[in-house]
Amino acid sequence: MPQKISLRIDGELIHTAAGQSILDAAKAHNKFIPALCHMKGLSSVGACRLCIVEVAGVGRLLPACTTPVQDGMSVTTQSDKLRRYRRIALELLFAERNHVCAVCVSNGFCELQGLAKRLGVTNVRYPYTYPKVPIDLTHPRYTADQNRCILCSRCVRVCAEVEGAHVWEISGRGVGSRLVCELNRSWGESTNCTSCGKCVQSCPTGAIAEKGFAVEEMSKRTDPISRLATLRAAGSDNKPGVIL
Amino acid sequence: MNKAKVATVWLDGCSGCHMSVLDIDEVLIDVLHKADIVYGPLVDAQEFPEGVDVTLTEGAVSSQHDYKLIQQIRKRTKLLIALGDCAVTGNVPSMRNTIPTKRLLERAYVEGADIHQRAPSDGVPALLRHAVPVQEIVKVDLHLPGCPPKPALIAFALTELLAGRKPDLTNPSVAGLVKFG
Ligand code: SF4
Ligand code: SF4
Ligand code: SF4
Ligand code: FES
């Protein structure tokens, strides 16, 4: 049995099991913390910084997805300071790549766009950087357009942790970071890719999509993958190569 | 009562935002009771006038012409609104920004043309290196995003402004209409 602990989230006393993240504990008690790189069933990496929270006695903001709950902890999930920093993090994601929602496959379904709306973003206060980044259309069924990539690494993790194919990696540092396929091959030349589509469904934006979908058509579903990942974690048998 | 002076301007956009302004339907009549439209594609004025109360700006700032005009507009306008995604984010016009302008013009007007293979230079303003959101050139007082922005959002903003209030886009009656991107 995991150890039981008690903590406060936004003043509310919560009893939960040790080992959980603040994000999971908050979610289980119907508290909304914005999150983009987190996906249920995958490991957490703290890449997007949208889920930052305040923890009493800690001088800096902590990502809720990678910070485990502790006995006696007091967490604040909503404050002016958090709203300000979350907005900055979100706006910088937009400024860092080329997001043109009006012509994007994921327009209307995108998690990035959805959060912008939810957090009340009406404009990006930082100058856009207009990087020239790769678009890979070589896979027979899927597309990878890094103009829309937020480097959340959900594709990397789902491919490695759930499908076991290890196709994706992130190369470079900082603003120079790029998604690469198998030591920088084109996706069409990949020898590991099983065409399972898990990265397509897991990508929160229009960066990885399915061919044949036009603007505003690419809706995605992560819950079957999360279920599969949870089953696997519980030890039940599942074979790679399941096509969703 | 003195009528307010409202202007609209069409920079690098598709005119869809102006269509959305027309789509506010009967609210337009209320607006015209309280304001005169003194400049824009909908009226015949050659020069942007002084002392404008509100200017709705459609489109990204994309050429030398846009660049000069938006600065003049800022000087002569009390409240500048970026209307629609092109004015707010750069949107579709900014898709050219990763391509050098010379290469872009060649591709469109030389490689893309069957006759008169020449990039236009006479009588058209030079392109800026990037098509940028209005706020990168001048201060913007209110952003109304959307491609195009919902008529109800425009109607709300104009009605509030003409009643002397600053539109609050978090107001529950319109918050759902604000779609970023
Ligand atoms: S990925 Fe999302 S935010 Fe980016 S252009 Fe597409 S819909 Fe817009
Ligand atoms: S389709 Fe499946 S195997 Fe191929 S890259 Fe995506 S997750 Fe990996
Ligand atoms: S392609 Fe999609 S899932 Fe992969 S890192 Fe980029 S945004 Fe995330
Ligand atoms: S969800 Fe926690 S850092 Fe992205």
Side-chain angles (χ1 to χ4, degrees):
Chain A
M1 268 297 280
Q3 187 201 341
K4 279 275 179 206
I5 60 162
S6 308
L7 73 157
R8 286 191 185 271
I9 302 186
D10 297 332
E12 188 184 329
L13 187 62
I14 284 168
H15 306 285
T16 184
Q20 231 186 358
S21 70
I22 295 176
L23 183 66
D24 285 340
K27 260 197 190 155
H29 289 83
N30 295 322
K31 295 190 182 299
F32 170 70
I33 299 177
L36 271 178
C37 65
H38 172 82
M39 188 177 129
K40 186 166 182 256
L42 303 184
S43 61
S44 288
V45 290
C48 74
R49 288 344 223 202
L50 257 316
C51 68
I52 44 172
V53 292
E54 295 179 58
V55 175
V58 179
R60 61 202 167 90
L61 304 176
L62 296 174
C65 67
T66 54
T67 309
V69 289
Q70 278 171 22
D71 203 28
M73 209 179 213
S74 175
V75 179
T76 304
T77 69
Q78 304 295 334
S79 69
D80 285 343
K81 182 178 178 183
L82 289 170
R83 275 187 283 277
R84 196 164 72 241
Y85 280 102
R86 284 170 185 162
R87 248 195 89 151
I88 291 173
L90 199 61
E91 288 179 35
L92 288 173
L93 289 177
F94 279 97
E96 196 172 70
R97 294 289 168 106
N98 304 299
H99 291 274
V100 187
C101 301
V103 295
C104 179
V105 282
S106 287
N107 191 8
F109 302 107
C110 171
E111 289 184 35
L112 175 66
Q113 185 188 43
L115 263 192
K117 181 170 174 171
R118 180 143 189 185
L119 301 193
V121 173
T122 61
N123 61 303
V124 170
R125 293 162 293 173
Y126 310 103
Y128 289 88
T129 55
Y130 310 118
K132 187 141 181 82
V133 290
I135 299 176
D136 186 342
L137 305 176
T138 56
H139 191 283
R141 291 180 54 196
Y142 310 130
T143 57
D145 177 355
Q146 296 199 36
N147 288 294
R148 314 286 193 249
C149 176
I150 56 169
L151 298 168
C152 68
S153 84
R154 273 160 58 160
C155 57
V156 176
R157 284 173 284 148
V158 80
C159 188
E161 296 170 14
V162 185
E163 183 62 3
H166 297 268
V167 171
W168 298 113
E169 221 17 281
I170 289 172
S171 80
R173 307 279 298 166
V175 288
S177 302
R178 299 288 179 262
L179 186 67
V180 291
C181 168
E182 291 175 19
L183 301 173
N184 221 1
R185 281 195 182 105
S186 70
W187 197 359
E189 290 168 335
S190 161
T191 50
N192 281 3
C193 177
T194 62
S195 300
C196 71
K198 289 189 179 70
C199 56
V200 181
Q201 298 301 322
S202 303
C203 174
T205 70
I208 302 188
E210 198 162 336
K211 287 185 177 174
F213 285 80
V215 171
E216 292 183 24
E217 288 186 354
M218 188 71 227
S219 68
K220 301 183 177 185
R221 285 186 63 199
T222 55
D223 35 314
I225 301 173
S226 296
R227 266 203 304 281
L228 199 64
T230 317
L231 282 175
R232 165 175 286 194
S236 69
D237 186 26
N238 103 67
K239 308 228 172 359
V242 177
I243 294 179
L244 293 163
Chain B
M1 188 181 94
N2 267 349
K3 280 177 129 186
K5 288 186 188 174
V6 173
T8 72
V9 61
W10 178 11
L11 303 180
D12 196 359
C14 69
S15 91
C17 299
H18 271 82
M19 296 298 162
S20 225
V21 173
L22 295 179
D23 273 345
I24 67 178
D25 298 336
E26 69 275 9
V27 178
L28 202 53
I29 297 169
D30 300 337
V31 169
L32 291 174
H33 278 307
K34 292 187 183 148
D36 287 323
I37 299 191
V38 294
Y39 181 89
L42 306 173
V43 296
D44 187 19
Q46 297 306 310
E47 194 173 339
F48 195 89
E50 303 267 1
V52 173
D53 294 298
V54 178
T55 299
L56 298 163
T57 307
E58 166 184 336
V61 180
S62 199
S63 67
Q64 289 292 348
H65 166 264
D66 301 341
Y67 183 72
K68 287 195 193 116
L69 182 59
I70 197 65
Q71 293 180 83
Q72 186 182 48
I73 289 173
R74 179 68 272 187
K75 281 198 196 103
R76 298 181 174 184
T77 307
K78 278 198 206 113
L79 201 126
L80 184 62
I81 300 181
L83 176 70
D85 281 353
C86 297
V88 173
T89 72
N91 200 27
V92 173
S94 72
M95 286 170 73
R96 70 168 173 86
N97 289 357
T98 56
I99 308 167
T101 46
K102 191 162 175 283
R103 176 77 200 101
L104 182 82
L105 291 172
E106 264 170 25
R107 178 75 186 85
Y109 289 96
V110 181
E111 291 159 30
D114 295 329
I115 51 167
H116 303 308
Q117 291 170 314
R118 187 160 25 89
S121 55
D122 283 353
V124 287
L127 290 179
L128 302 179
R129 172 73 189 84
H130 290 146
V132 294
V134 174
Q135 67 170 7
E136 283 195 28
I137 309 297
V138 294
K139 179 173 172 282
V140 169
D141 301 300
L142 179 69
H143 289 88
L144 295 180
C147 181
K150 295 267 188 316
L153 184 65
I154 300 173
F156 170 81
L158 284 176
T159 307
E160 288 291 286
L161 283 169
L162 292 173
R165 293 185 290 266
K166 179 151 189 181
D168 174 12
L169 301 188
T170 61
N171 184 312
S173 69
V174 289
L177 302 172
V178 183
K179 172 168 172 276
F180 183 71

